Amino acid sequence: KRRGRDLVHIYSESDQDSENLRDTIEWIHQLQQAIANDQIVLHFQPVIEIRTREIAYYEALVRLNIDNKLIYPGSFIPALERADDIKLLDHQVVAKAIKYLADYPEIPRMAINLSAHAFSDEKLTPLIEQKMMQYRVDPKRIIFELTESASLTNLAGTLRMIERLTQLGCDFSIDDFGTGFSTFTYLKQLPAHSVKIDGSFVKDMPDDPIDLALVRAIHEIARSLNKVSVAEFVENQETLNLLEEIGVDFAQGYHIAKPAPIHTFLSAEVKALVD
Ligand code: C2E
Ligand code: MG
Ligand code: MG
Ligand code: MG
């Protein structure tokens, strides 16, 4: 329509490419603005240990706060991941998250999401180490979540980074497990301590026997590899009960708590989140 009336335009792949490119360029600009104006904020979502119902850690989730309106990562991360500039965001998130750990000793541990590009980023590991030193944060309080897209293509680089940070005491978790192209290769190659079962399998567990079977199977695989299992998208009590029955170790989701600013969780009243 933009091109005018009475004009047939054949849609081709390169149109998609140029649209993606435009989108990426706009978000890079937006990100740079947000960094300059200090508009990058972290919200936190608790993860409970199912056995005790206690908060084991908080996952840091990034948002852009532009004119008091929050923009969620679903709208900008895919665009930024098409470019190297996602590294800028990773740097911001890592620095902020580690500062939170220093400012709030009552946070037991924190999970930080890393983008697919993080593993080809030579500067990231030194930055993480520098921030942990600067703020005197125990590396044992940090879990890094990687998605399967986080490149088996650069396996050597990925392994080097994981090895170094594991040596220091950080843990690694495979995020959104079960949705990638090479799930099992990933599981085999990466020394992760935990597997986060993708929410798409967890969400409908009570009504969908296939999902229930898949969650059970993923948990068994994790356990036989000496990894702990985490379920995301726990949206009701029935799901939590089923996960407990299966033996899944940790749970996260709207039924337990929605992501929110950290002070929401650190006030004394919020102790028991679920039955
Ligand atoms: P994720 O790491 O798998 O995070 C879970 C997402 O699911 C979060 O969305 C969270 O708000 C949402 N969620 C949590 N519980 C429930 C539930 O019970 N039901 C449903 N339907 N959704 C739930 P969010 O915050 O929009 O983040 C989306 C994705 O963006 C994240 O998926 C993660 O891959 C990425 N992301 C978030 N923060 C960062 C970051 O700081 N750096 C990088 N590189 N990626 C990030
Ligand atoms: Mg995550
Ligand atoms: Mg996840
Ligand atoms: Mg997910």
Side-chain angles (χ1 to χ4, degrees):
K1 277 190 192 147
R2 232 183 294 133
R3 287 166 210 253
R5 287 176 70 91
D6 300 326
L7 217 155
V8 178
H9 183 74
I10 312 279
Y11 192 82
S12 72
E13 211 170 309
S14 63
D15 285 338
Q16 184 61 55
D17 286 350
S18 60
E19 201 158 304
N20 283 348
L21 181 62
R22 218 174 311 129
D23 197 36
T24 297
I25 290 169
E26 274 165 27
W27 279 116
I28 291 171
H29 178 71
Q30 186 75 261
L31 174 66
Q32 286 166 340
Q33 290 286 107
I35 293 173
N37 301 326
D38 198 18
Q39 292 167 320
I40 294 180
V41 298
L42 295 182
H43 279 188
F44 295 88
Q45 188 177 26
V47 174
I48 59 166
E49 183 180 16
I50 295 181
R51 194 175 54 82
T52 60
R53 301 293 203 258
E54 277 174 17
I55 295 174
Y57 60 94
Y58 292 90
E59 178 175 8
L61 295 160
V62 71
R63 283 95 181 77
L64 304 185
N65 182 358
I66 313 246
D67 305 325
N68 285 317
K69 266 193 64 185
L70 290 183
I71 305 177
Y72 291 84
S75 49
F76 55 87
I77 287 195
L80 291 174
E81 282 204 324
R82 287 193 290 268
D84 238 23
D85 300 73
I86 186 83
K87 289 176 182 174
L88 291 176
L89 182 70
D90 282 327
H91 292 194
Q92 291 284 319
V93 168
V94 160
K96 280 182 196 290
I98 297 175
K99 175 89 164 48
Y100 268 100
L101 284 166
D103 290 346
Y104 299 94
E106 59 272 52
I107 297 177
R109 304 181 81 202
M110 190 184 291
I112 303 172
N113 291 286
L114 294 179
S115 76
H117 285 251
F119 298 92
S120 48
D121 182 354
E122 304 281 330
K123 297 202 181 104
L124 188 61
T125 312
L127 177 73
I128 293 167
E129 290 190 46
Q130 187 238 317
K131 290 295 167 191
M132 291 189 301
M133 288 258 284
Q134 179 186 346
Y135 296 126
R136 297 172 196 279
V137 164
D138 184 350
K140 291 197 183 67
R141 291 171 72 204
I142 302 179
I143 302 159
F144 290 104
E145 295 193 1
L146 350 161
T147 54
E148 296 180 36
S149 57
S151 72
L152 282 173
T153 47
N154 180 18
L155 187 62
T158 307
L159 288 177
R160 226 179 303 121
M161 180 169 177
I162 296 183
E163 205 168 285
R164 173 73 189 135
L165 292 170
T166 303
Q167 231 172 38
L168 295 171
C170 301
D171 269 338
F172 283 81
S173 179
I174 302 177
D175 205 354
D176 301 335
F177 184 82
T179 54
F181 288 113
S182 44
T183 296
F184 287 105
T185 316
Y186 207 74
L187 197 60
K188 182 176 162 184
Q189 305 270 23
L190 296 187
H193 88 291
S194 91
V195 167
K196 203 166 187 185
I197 306 165
D198 190 67
S200 62
F201 305 119
V202 176
K203 230 158 59 78
D204 302 319
M205 266 172 76
D207 307 312
D208 189 332
I210 297 181
D211 284 336
L212 180 62
L214 287 172
V215 171
R216 203 186 289 280
I218 296 172
H219 166 71
E220 289 305 329
I221 291 165
R223 210 182 45 174
S224 61
L225 296 173
N226 291 318
K227 300 181 194 306
V228 299
S229 57
V230 187
E232 58 173 17
F233 292 19
V234 177
E235 294 183 349
N236 50 57
Q237 186 64 36
E238 203 182 342
T239 304
L240 186 58
N241 294 342
L242 284 169
L243 292 168
E244 184 165 34
E245 247 173 72
I246 293 172
V248 170
D249 302 286
F250 297 93
Q252 177 187 41
Y254 294 164
H255 176 63
I256 297 156
K258 292 194 170 169
I262 196 69
H263 59 79
T264 321
F265 304 109
L266 299 181
S267 61
E269 306 91 81
V270 241
K271 266 278 175 273
L273 292 173
V274 281
D275 299 335

